[in-house]
Amino acid sequence: MATAFDNGWDVVKPVKPTGIAKSLNIGNPADGPYALDAIRRTGGSVGRVGDDEIVAGIRDLARTTGVFAETAGGVTTAVLRQLVEKGLLDPAQETVVLNTGEGLKTLDPLAPVVGPTHHVQPSLRSLREAGLIA
């Protein structure tokens, strides 16, 4: 999408998906032409971020809101930051960000960065020792 938008193309040329954001790395999105049209018609923008920025976006969202997002939420947060830094989004205006993906869906990309805080065995005793129940 970003390549097509940047180059002024009306269609998205298929590419081999890469990176940790598997839910967004669609090599040939079926709705690509419609999305490109909507972005251009409304004066929108498109951003692209790498894996490190995605992980940082997940961390930022968790740290500032308590929401643990999947990789797609990390993309949204990282691109939001990017658009503000480029002056394409006014931080004084209200912005709504929809994050519908829960972080437990995509733990693998975060394993090298964030480790577990508790190892809980499948027993009531272990839950109590971890402070998860009284």
Side-chain angles (χ1 to χ4, degrees):
M1 288 291 302
T3 300
F5 182 81
D6 290 347
N7 289 315
W9 301 338
D10 292 329
V11 295
V12 178
K13 293 184 181 178
V15 296
K16 183 176 178 158
T18 60
I20 63 173
K22 305 284 186 234
S23 61
L24 298 180
N25 272 333
I26 301 169
N28 187 16
D31 292 336
Y34 306 108
L36 288 168
D37 179 58
I39 295 163
R40 291 184 179 121
R41 241 183 323 103
T42 60
S45 298
V46 174
R48 68 176 84 219
V49 292
D51 290 352
D52 291 342
E53 293 164 294
I54 295 169
V55 171
I58 293 169
R59 283 181 141 176
D60 288 346
L61 191 60
R63 184 178 45 79
T64 60
T65 68
V67 173
F68 178 37
E70 67 164 320
T71 53
V75 170
T76 302
T77 303
V79 170
L80 180 67
R81 175 183 302 268
Q82 185 183 84
L83 295 175
V84 169
E85 288 172 352
K86 289 181 176 180
L88 297 171
L89 189 64
D90 183 354
Q93 295 295 316
E94 184 173 311
T95 300
V96 176
V97 176
L98 301 177
N99 176 50
T100 60
E102 204 274 322
L104 293 175
K105 289 173 38 179
T106 55
L107 290 174
D108 290 345
L110 300 177
V113 185
V114 179
T117 57
H118 290 85
H119 290 279
V120 180
Q121 299 301 315
S123 71
L124 285 174
R125 179 179 179 191
S126 185
L127 288 171
R128 285 187 180 102
E129 288 172 356
L132 298 173
I133 61 171

